[in-house]
Coordinates of all heavy atoms in Angstrom, one line a residue:
Chain Y
I626 N 190.7 238.9 140.9 CA 190.2 238.6 139.5 C 189.9 237.1 139.3 O 188.8 236.8 138.8 CB 191.2 239.2 138.5 CG1 191.2 240.7 138.6 CG2 190.8 238.7 137.1 CD1 192.3 241.4 137.8
S627 N 190.9 236.3 139.7 CA 190.7 234.9 139.4 C 189.5 234.3 140.2 O 188.7 233.6 139.7 CB 192.0 234.1 139.7 OG 192.3 234.2 141.1
A628 N 189.4 234.6 141.5 CA 188.3 234.1 142.3 C 187.0 234.5 141.8 O 186.0 233.7 141.7 CB 188.5 234.5 143.8
V629 N 186.8 235.8 141.5 CA 185.5 236.3 141.1 C 185.2 235.8 139.7 O 184.0 235.3 139.5 CB 185.5 237.9 141.1 CG1 184.3 238.5 140.5 CG2 185.7 238.4 142.6
V630 N 186.1 235.9 138.8 CA 185.8 235.4 137.4 C 185.4 234.0 137.4 O 184.4 233.5 136.8 CB 187.0 235.8 136.5 CG1 186.8 235.1 135.1 CG2 187.1 237.3 136.3
I631 N 186.2 233.1 138.0 CA 186.0 231.7 138.0 C 184.7 231.4 138.8 O 183.9 230.6 138.4 CB 187.2 230.9 138.6 CG1 188.4 231.1 137.6 CG2 186.8 229.4 138.8 CD1 189.7 230.5 138.1
G632 N 184.5 232.2 139.9 CA 183.3 232.0 140.7 C 182.0 232.2 139.9 O 181.1 231.4 139.9
I633 N 182.0 233.3 139.1 CA 180.9 233.6 138.3 C 180.7 232.6 137.2 O 179.6 232.1 136.9 CB 181.0 235.1 137.7 CG1 180.9 236.1 138.9 CG2 179.9 235.4 136.7 CD1 181.2 237.5 138.5
A634 N 181.8 232.3 136.5 CA 181.7 231.4 135.3 C 181.2 230.0 135.7 O 180.6 229.3 134.9 CB 183.1 231.3 134.7
Y635 N 181.6 229.6 136.9 CA 181.2 228.2 137.3 C 180.2 228.1 138.4 O 180.0 227.0 139.0 CB 182.5 227.4 137.7 CG 183.4 227.2 136.5 CD1 184.3 228.2 136.1 CD2 183.4 226.0 135.8 CE1 185.1 228.1 135.0 CE2 184.2 225.9 134.6 CZ 185.1 226.9 134.3 OH 185.8 226.7 133.2
G636 N 179.5 229.2 138.7 CA 178.4 229.2 139.6 C 178.9 228.8 141.0 O 178.1 228.1 141.7
I637 N 180.0 229.3 141.5 CA 180.5 229.0 142.8 C 179.8 229.9 143.8 O 179.7 231.1 143.6 CB 182.1 229.1 142.9 CG1 182.7 228.2 141.9 CG2 182.6 228.8 144.3 CD1 184.2 228.5 141.7
P638 N 179.3 229.4 144.9 CA 178.6 230.2 145.9 C 179.5 231.4 146.4 O 180.7 231.3 146.5 CB 178.3 229.3 147.1 CG 178.4 227.9 146.5 CD 179.4 228.0 145.4
A639 N 178.8 232.5 146.6 CA 179.5 233.8 147.0 C 180.3 233.6 148.2 O 181.5 234.1 148.4 CB 178.5 234.9 147.1
V640 N 179.8 232.8 149.2 CA 180.5 232.6 150.5 C 181.8 231.9 150.2 O 182.8 232.3 150.8 CB 179.6 231.8 151.4 CG1 180.3 231.5 152.7 CG2 178.3 232.5 151.7
T641 N 181.8 231.0 149.3 CA 183.0 230.2 149.1 C 184.0 231.1 148.4 O 185.2 231.1 148.7 CB 182.7 229.0 148.1 OG1 181.6 228.3 148.7 CG2 183.9 228.1 148.0
V642 N 183.5 231.9 147.4 CA 184.5 232.9 146.7 C 185.1 233.8 147.7 O 186.3 234.1 147.7 CB 183.7 233.6 145.6 CG1 184.6 234.7 145.0 CG2 183.3 232.7 144.5
I643 N 184.2 234.4 148.6 CA 184.7 235.4 149.6 C 185.8 234.7 150.5 O 186.8 235.3 150.8 CB 183.6 236.0 150.4 CG1 182.8 236.9 149.4 CG2 184.1 236.8 151.5 CD1 181.4 237.4 150.0
S644 N 185.5 233.5 151.0 CA 186.4 232.8 151.9 C 187.7 232.5 151.2 O 188.8 232.7 151.8 CB 185.8 231.6 152.5 OG 185.5 230.7 151.4
I645 N 187.7 232.2 149.9 CA 188.9 231.9 149.2 C 189.7 233.2 149.1 O 190.9 233.3 149.2 CB 188.6 231.3 147.8 CG1 188.1 229.9 148.0 CG2 189.9 231.3 146.9 CD1 187.7 229.2 146.7
I646 N 189.0 234.3 148.8 CA 189.6 235.6 148.7 C 190.3 236.0 150.0 O 191.4 236.6 150.0 CB 188.6 236.7 148.2 CG1 188.3 236.5 146.7 CG2 189.2 238.1 148.3 CD1 187.2 237.4 146.2
L647 N 189.6 235.7 151.1 CA 190.1 236.1 152.4 C 191.4 235.3 152.7 O 192.4 235.9 153.2 CB 189.1 235.7 153.5 CG 188.0 236.7 153.8 CD1 187.0 236.2 154.8 CD2 188.6 238.0 154.2
A648 N 191.4 234.0 152.3 CA 192.7 233.2 152.5 C 193.8 233.8 151.6 O 194.9 233.9 152.0 CB 192.4 231.8 152.1
G649 N 193.4 234.2 150.4 CA 194.4 234.8 149.4 C 194.9 236.1 150.0 O 196.1 236.4 149.9
A650 N 194.0 236.9 150.5 CA 194.4 238.2 151.1 C 195.4 238.0 152.3 O 196.3 238.7 152.4 CB 193.2 239.0 151.5
A651 N 195.0 237.0 153.1 CA 195.9 236.8 154.3 C 197.3 236.4 153.9 O 198.3 236.9 154.4 CB 195.2 235.7 155.2
I652 N 197.4 235.5 152.9 CA 198.7 235.0 152.5 C 199.5 236.1 151.8 O 200.7 236.3 151.9 CB 198.6 233.7 151.6 CG1 200.0 233.1 151.5 CG2 198.1 234.0 150.3 CD1 200.4 232.2 152.6
S653 N 198.7 237.0 151.0 CA 199.4 238.1 150.3 C 199.9 239.1 151.3 O 201.0 239.6 151.2 CB 198.3 238.8 149.4 OG 197.8 237.9 148.5
A654 N 199.1 239.4 152.4 CA 199.6 240.4 153.4 C 200.8 239.8 154.1 O 201.7 240.5 154.5 CB 198.4 240.7 154.4
N655 N 200.7 238.5 154.4 CA 201.8 237.9 155.1 C 203.1 237.9 154.3 O 204.2 238.2 154.9 CB 201.4 236.4 155.5 CG 202.5 235.7 156.4 OD1 203.4 235.2 155.9 ND2 202.3 235.8 157.7
T656 N 203.0 237.6 153.1 CA 204.2 237.6 152.2 C 204.7 239.0 152.1 O 205.9 239.2 152.2 CB 203.8 237.2 150.8 OG1 203.1 235.9 150.9 CG2 205.0 237.0 149.9
A657 N 203.8 240.0 152.0 CA 204.2 241.4 151.9 C 205.0 241.9 153.2 O 206.1 242.5 153.0 CB 203.0 242.3 151.7
V658 N 204.6 241.5 154.3 CA 205.2 241.9 155.6 C 206.4 241.1 155.9 O 207.5 241.6 156.2 CB 204.2 241.9 156.7 CG1 204.8 242.3 158.1 CG2 203.0 242.9 156.5
S659 N 206.3 239.8 155.8 CA 207.4 238.9 156.1 C 208.6 239.2 155.2 O 209.8 239.1 155.6 CB 207.0 237.4 156.1 OG 206.6 237.1 154.8
G660 N 208.2 239.5 153.9 CA 209.3 239.7 152.9 C 210.2 240.9 153.4 O 211.4 240.9 153.2
L661 N 209.6 241.9 154.0 CA 210.4 243.1 154.4 C 211.3 242.7 155.5 O 212.5 243.1 155.6 CB 209.4 244.2 154.9 CG 208.6 244.9 153.8 CD1 207.6 245.8 154.5 CD2 209.5 245.7 152.9
W662 N 210.8 241.8 156.4 CA 211.7 241.3 157.5 C 212.9 240.5 156.9 O 214.0 240.7 157.3 CB 210.9 240.4 158.4 CG 210.8 240.9 159.8 CD1 209.7 241.3 160.5 CD2 211.9 241.2 160.7 NE1 210.0 241.8 161.7 CE2 211.4 241.7 161.9 CE3 213.3 241.1 160.6 CZ2 212.1 242.1 163.0 CZ3 214.0 241.5 161.7 CH2 213.5 242.0 162.9
I663 N 212.5 239.6 156.0 CA 213.6 238.8 155.4 C 214.6 239.7 154.7 O 215.8 239.5 154.9 CB 212.9 237.8 154.4 CG1 212.1 236.8 155.1 CG2 214.0 237.1 153.5 CD1 211.2 236.0 154.3
N664 N 214.1 240.7 154.0 CA 215.1 241.6 153.4 C 215.9 242.4 154.3 O 217.1 242.7 154.1 CB 214.3 242.6 152.4 CG 215.2 243.1 151.4 OD1 214.8 244.0 150.6 ND2 216.4 242.7 151.3
L665 N 215.3 242.8 155.5 CA 216.1 243.5 156.5 C 217.2 242.6 157.1 O 218.3 243.1 157.4 CB 215.2 244.0 157.6 CG 214.4 245.2 157.3 CD1 213.3 245.5 158.4 CD2 215.2 246.5 157.2
L666 N 216.9 241.3 157.2 CA 217.9 240.4 157.8 C 219.0 240.0 156.7 O 220.1 239.7 157.1 CB 217.2 239.1 158.3 CG 216.2 239.3 159.4 CD1 215.5 238.0 159.8 CD2 217.0 239.8 160.7
L667 N 218.6 240.0 155.5 CA 219.5 239.6 154.4 C 219.6 240.7 153.3 O 219.2 240.4 152.2 CB 219.1 238.3 153.8 CG 219.0 237.1 154.7 CD1 218.2 236.0 154.1 CD2 220.4 236.6 155.0
P668 N 220.0 241.9 153.7 CA 220.0 242.9 152.7 C 221.2 242.8 151.7 O 222.2 242.1 152.0 CB 220.3 244.2 153.5 CG 221.0 243.7 154.7 CD 220.6 242.3 155.0
K669 N 221.0 243.3 150.5 CA 222.0 243.3 149.4 C 222.0 244.7 148.9 O 221.4 245.0 147.9 CB 221.7 242.2 148.4 CG 222.6 242.2 147.2 CD 223.9 241.5 147.5 CE 224.9 241.6 146.3 NZ 226.2 241.2 146.7
M670 N 222.8 245.6 149.5 CA 222.7 247.0 149.2 C 223.6 247.4 148.1 O 223.5 248.5 147.6 CB 222.9 247.8 150.5 CG 222.0 247.5 151.6 SD 220.2 247.4 151.3 CE 219.8 249.1 150.9
D671 N 224.6 246.6 147.8 CA 225.7 247.0 146.9 C 225.6 246.3 145.6 O 226.6 246.2 144.9 CB 227.0 246.8 147.5 CG 227.2 245.3 147.9 OD1 226.3 244.6 147.9 OD2 228.3 245.0 148.4
A672 N 224.4 245.8 145.2 CA 224.3 245.1 143.9 C 224.6 246.0 142.7 O 224.2 247.2 142.8 CB 222.9 244.5 143.8
S673 N 225.2 245.4 141.7 CA 225.5 246.3 140.5 C 224.3 246.5 139.7 O 224.3 247.5 138.9 CB 226.6 245.6 139.7 OG 226.2 244.3 139.4
N674 N 223.3 245.7 139.8 CA 222.0 246.0 139.0 C 220.9 245.2 139.7 O 221.1 244.4 140.6 CB 222.2 245.6 137.6 CG 222.7 244.1 137.4 OD1 222.0 243.2 137.9 ND2 223.9 243.9 136.9
D675 N 219.7 245.5 139.2 CA 218.5 245.0 139.7 C 218.4 243.4 139.6 O 217.9 242.7 140.5 CB 217.2 245.5 139.0 CG 216.9 247.0 139.4 OD1 217.7 247.5 140.2 OD2 216.0 247.5 138.9
T676 N 219.0 242.9 138.5 CA 218.9 241.5 138.3 C 219.6 240.7 139.4 O 219.0 239.7 139.9 CB 219.7 241.1 137.0 OG1 219.2 242.0 136.0 CG2 219.5 239.7 136.6
V677 N 220.7 241.2 139.9 CA 221.4 240.5 141.0 C 220.5 240.4 142.2 O 220.5 239.4 142.9 CB 222.7 241.3 141.3 CG1 223.4 240.8 142.6 CG2 223.7 241.2 140.1
V678 N 219.8 241.5 142.5 CA 219.0 241.5 143.7 C 217.8 240.6 143.5 O 217.4 239.8 144.3 CB 218.5 243.0 144.0 CG1 217.5 243.0 145.2 CG2 219.7 243.9 144.3
V679 N 217.1 240.8 142.4 CA 215.8 240.1 142.2 C 216.0 238.6 141.9 O 215.2 237.8 142.4 CB 215.1 240.8 141.0 CG1 213.8 240.0 140.6 CG2 214.7 242.2 141.3
K680 N 217.0 238.3 141.2 CA 217.2 236.9 140.8 C 218.1 236.1 141.7 O 217.9 234.9 141.9 CB 217.8 236.8 139.4 CG 216.9 237.2 138.2 CD 215.8 236.3 138.0 CE 216.2 235.0 137.4 NZ 215.1 234.1 137.1
Q681 N 219.1 236.8 142.3 CA 220.2 236.0 142.9 C 220.4 236.3 144.4 O 221.2 235.6 145.0 CB 221.5 236.2 142.2 CG 221.4 235.7 140.7 CD 222.6 236.2 139.9 OE1 222.9 237.4 139.9 NE2 223.3 235.3 139.3
S682 N 219.7 237.3 144.9 CA 220.1 237.6 146.3 C 219.5 236.6 147.3 O 218.5 235.9 147.0 CB 219.6 239.0 146.7 OG 218.2 239.1 146.7
A683 N 220.1 236.5 148.4 CA 219.7 235.5 149.5 C 218.3 235.8 149.9 O 217.5 234.9 150.1 CB 220.7 235.6 150.6
S684 N 217.9 237.1 150.1 CA 216.6 237.4 150.6 C 215.5 237.0 149.6 O 214.4 236.6 149.9 CB 216.5 238.9 150.9 OG 216.6 239.7 149.7
A685 N 215.8 237.1 148.3 CA 214.8 236.7 147.2 C 214.6 235.2 147.4 O 213.4 234.7 147.3 CB 215.3 237.0 145.8
M686 N 215.7 234.4 147.6 CA 215.5 232.9 147.7 C 214.8 232.6 149.0 O 213.9 231.7 149.0 CB 216.9 232.3 147.7 CG 217.5 232.4 146.3 SD 219.0 231.5 146.2 CE 219.6 231.8 144.6
V687 N 215.2 233.2 150.1 CA 214.6 232.8 151.4 C 213.1 233.3 151.4 O 212.3 232.5 151.9 CB 215.4 233.5 152.6 CG1 214.6 233.3 153.9 CG2 216.8 233.0 152.7
G688 N 212.8 234.4 150.8 CA 211.4 234.8 150.6 C 210.6 233.8 149.9 O 209.5 233.5 150.2
M689 N 211.2 233.3 148.8 CA 210.5 232.3 148.0 C 210.2 231.0 148.8 O 209.1 230.5 148.9 CB 211.3 232.0 146.8 CG 210.6 231.2 145.7 SD 211.7 231.0 144.3 CE 213.0 229.9 145.0
L690 N 211.3 230.6 149.6 CA 211.2 229.4 150.4 C 210.1 229.6 151.5 O 209.3 228.7 151.8 CB 212.5 229.0 151.0 CG 213.5 228.4 150.1 CD1 214.9 228.2 150.8 CD2 213.0 227.1 149.6
Y691 N 210.1 230.8 152.1 CA 209.2 231.1 153.2 C 207.7 231.0 152.6 O 206.9 230.4 153.2 CB 209.4 232.5 153.7 CG 208.3 232.9 154.7 CD1 208.4 232.5 156.0 CD2 207.2 233.7 154.3 CE1 207.4 232.8 156.9 CE2 206.2 234.0 155.2 CZ 206.3 233.6 156.5 OH 205.3 233.9 157.4
G692 N 207.5 231.5 151.4 CA 206.2 231.4 150.7 C 205.8 230.0 150.6 O 204.6 229.6 150.8
V693 N 206.8 229.2 150.1 CA 206.5 227.7 149.9 C 206.0 227.1 151.3 O 205.0 226.3 151.3 CB 207.7 227.0 149.4 CG1 207.5 225.5 149.4 CG2 208.0 227.5 148.0
V694 N 206.7 227.5 152.4 CA 206.4 226.8 153.7 C 205.1 227.3 154.2 O 204.2 226.5 154.5 CB 207.5 227.2 154.7 CG1 207.1 226.8 156.1 CG2 208.8 226.6 154.3
I695 N 204.8 228.6 154.2 CA 203.6 229.1 154.8 C 202.3 228.7 153.9 O 201.3 228.4 154.5 CB 203.6 230.7 155.0 CG1 202.5 231.1 155.9 CG2 203.6 231.4 153.7 CD1 202.9 231.1 157.4
A696 N 202.5 228.7 152.6 CA 201.4 228.3 151.8 C 201.3 226.8 151.8 O 200.2 226.2 151.8 CB 201.6 228.8 150.3
G697 N 202.4 226.1 151.7 CA 202.5 224.7 151.7 C 201.8 224.0 152.9 O 201.1 223.0 152.8
A698 N 202.1 224.7 154.1 CA 201.5 224.1 155.3 C 200.0 224.1 155.2 O 199.3 223.1 155.6 CB 201.9 224.9 156.5
G699 N 199.4 225.2 154.8 CA 198.0 225.3 154.6 C 197.4 224.3 153.6 O 196.4 223.6 153.8
I700 N 198.1 224.3 152.5 CA 197.6 223.4 151.4 C 197.7 222.0 151.8 O 196.8 221.2 151.5 CB 198.5 223.7 150.1 CG1 198.2 225.1 149.5 CG2 198.3 222.6 149.1 CD1 199.2 225.6 148.5
A701 N 198.7 221.6 152.5 CA 198.9 220.2 153.0 C 197.7 219.8 153.9 O 197.1 218.7 153.7 CB 200.2 220.0 153.7
I702 N 197.3 220.7 154.8 CA 196.2 220.5 155.7 C 194.9 220.3 154.9 O 194.1 219.4 155.1 CB 196.1 221.6 156.8 CG1 197.3 221.5 157.7 CG2 194.8 221.5 157.5 CD1 197.5 222.7 158.6
L703 N 194.7 221.3 154.0 CA 193.5 221.3 153.2 C 193.4 220.0 152.4 O 192.3 219.3 152.3 CB 193.5 222.5 152.2 CG 192.3 222.6 151.2 CD1 191.0 222.8 152.0 CD2 192.6 223.7 150.2
L704 N 194.4 219.5 151.7 CA 194.4 218.4 150.9 C 194.4 217.1 151.6 O 193.7 216.1 151.2 CB 195.5 218.4 149.8 CG 195.5 219.6 148.9 CD1 196.6 219.5 147.9 CD2 194.1 219.7 148.1
M705 N 195.0 217.0 152.8 CA 195.1 215.8 153.5 C 193.9 215.6 154.4 O 193.3 214.5 154.5 CB 196.4 215.7 154.4 CG 197.6 215.5 153.5 SD 199.1 215.0 154.4 CE 199.4 216.5 155.4
L706 N 193.5 216.6 155.1 CA 192.4 216.5 156.1 C 191.0 216.7 155.4 O 190.0 216.4 156.0 CB 192.6 217.4 157.3 CG 193.9 217.2 158.1 CD1 194.0 218.2 159.2 CD2 194.0 215.7 158.6

Side-chain angles (χ1 to χ4, degrees):
Chain Y
I626 291 172
S627 61
V629 171
V630 168
I631 294 172
I633 293 170
Y635 292 83
I637 301 168
V640 177
T641 310
V642 171
I643 291 168
S644 60
I645 290 174
I646 290 175
L647 279 178
I652 192 83
S653 301
N655 187 271
T656 308
V658 175
S659 63
L661 290 171
W662 242 119
I663 291 166
N664 201 185
L665 283 170
L666 295 175
L667 299 165
K669 174 78 186 166
M670 308 308 292
D671 56 353
S673 55
N674 54 61
D675 288 0
T676 310
V677 171
V678 175
V679 175
K680 292 289 290 181
Q681 298 169 308
S682 67
S684 66
M686 290 186 183
V687 173
M689 192 176 69
L690 284 175
Y691 174 81
V693 169
V694 170
I695 195 90
I700 290 167
I702 291 167
L703 176 65
L704 298 181
M705 285 194 294
L706 302 179

